[in-house]
Amino acid sequence: MAPKIQRQVTPAHQLLEKLGVPLDPELLVLALTHRSFAHEAGGIPTNERLEFLGDAVLGLVSAEALYRRHPDRPEGELAKMRAATVSQRALAAIARKLELGKFILLGKGEMGTAGYDKDSILSDTVESLIGAVYLSHGLEVAREFVHRLVDETLAVAAGLGAGLDWKTSLQETAAEHGRGVPEYVSEAEGPDHARVFTSRVIVDGEVLGTGHGSAKKHAEQVAAQEAYETLVGRPLPSSA
């Protein structure tokens, strides 16, 4: 019988090399400690407070960059571009480039359901690392760190168009087609630590899109994208 392969957590110093920012070992471990691991370890601190802080720093740095780089864009477009940059999907993609899943401390339940590759856990850990960098080095170093992480995403967001917010784009297109306001129906399956959401978007009584995700808002965006692409392929109603 072949031996059972178990996931091993990679030494943290390898992560520091990827990040390019020195961090106190204890703070780094805290930034990587998911609540599932903390619970199994007897209630030690989790990375959620650092995630809260990092989310604020990420939002500020992203907003400032967009404000300076796009002086001709109105507030609404800037808000959509920031939302696309700091979305769960975008941050998870950054985490995968860093191979962050190798370093996250997870409980047995999350490890058993491949929590190290879940968008929600990966994106939260990126934010906790940003919080740790801010605490250790202040705003200027944190700003440089955030730019290294998200500048490529910021550039892509500027040209996404409808994809900046599929729900808004779908609503606008549905109105153009005289189809009313889209409705979303969502349901969740699985335990809290491995919940999967399925969302369907209904436009004028017709299901035009279905999406899945680890968060309801992510599933709705996927469903909205499918519905948008379906709707734009149909002719506009005649004005005659």
Side-chain angles (χ1 to χ4, degrees):
M1 180 181 293
K4 184 178 181 180
I5 299 176
Q6 295 184 339
R7 172 180 174 270
Q8 300 292 327
V9 177
T10 306
H13 70 83
Q14 294 185 21
L15 177 58
L16 289 178
E17 292 177 1
K18 291 174 178 287
L19 299 179
V21 180
L23 288 172
D24 177 83
E26 290 188 8
L27 185 60
L28 177 60
V29 169
L30 178 60
L32 298 172
T33 301
H34 186 259
R35 62 177 178 271
S36 61
F37 182 90
H39 176 73
E40 292 184 9
I44 63 175
T46 75
N47 64 0
E48 291 177 350
R49 283 169 52 85
L50 284 175
E51 175 197 337
F52 166 79
L53 181 60
D55 175 68
V57 174
L58 173 62
L60 170 63
V61 174
S62 299
E64 179 189 30
L66 290 167
Y67 179 87
R68 294 183 184 280
R69 294 177 187 181
H70 304 285
D72 59 330
R73 299 288 186 96
E75 179 272 340
E77 288 188 27
L78 294 177
K80 289 182 181 181
M81 291 164 67
R82 181 179 61 181
T85 301
V86 304
S87 70
Q88 183 180 103
R89 181 189 295 184
L91 294 181
I94 291 169
R96 291 188 178 98
K97 288 182 180 180
L98 293 171
E99 299 182 293
L100 192 54
K102 295 181 179 180
F103 306 95
I104 302 173
L105 300 174
L106 297 169
K108 294 179 180 178
E110 282 292 358
M111 288 177 62
T113 57
Y116 46 83
D117 194 43
K118 290 180 181 176
D119 283 2
S120 58
I121 292 177
L122 290 171
S123 61
D124 289 348
T125 307
V126 169
E127 291 178 339
S128 68
L129 286 169
I130 293 171
V133 170
Y134 173 79
L135 276 184
S136 296
H137 302 287
L139 183 57
E140 289 307 312
V141 173
R143 179 184 283 111
E144 294 175 3
F145 178 64
V146 169
H147 277 299
R148 289 204 304 274
L149 294 181
V150 307
D151 264 4
E152 182 178 344
T153 309
L154 284 169
V156 171
L160 276 178
L164 286 169
D165 184 349
W166 291 113
K167 291 180 68 174
T168 299
S169 297
L170 174 61
Q171 183 170 332
E172 293 171 350
T173 302
E176 291 176 0
H177 284 74
R179 300 290 296 270
V181 179
E183 299 178 38
Y184 294 85
V185 178
S186 301
E187 54 190 28
E189 294 183 346
D192 289 343
H193 66 272
R195 185 156 293 183
V196 176
F197 289 84
T198 298
S199 295
R200 296 187 302 277
V201 58
I202 303 168
V203 181
D204 197 18
E206 181 183 4
V207 176
L208 292 185
T210 302
H212 307 280
S214 57
K216 179 181 175 182
K217 62 183 180 180
H218 176 54
E220 288 181 345
Q221 286 285 346
V222 174
Q225 178 180 356
E226 182 176 299
Y228 172 85
E229 291 171 349
T230 298
L231 202 54
V232 296
R234 299 179 177 179
L236 286 169
S238 173
S239 58

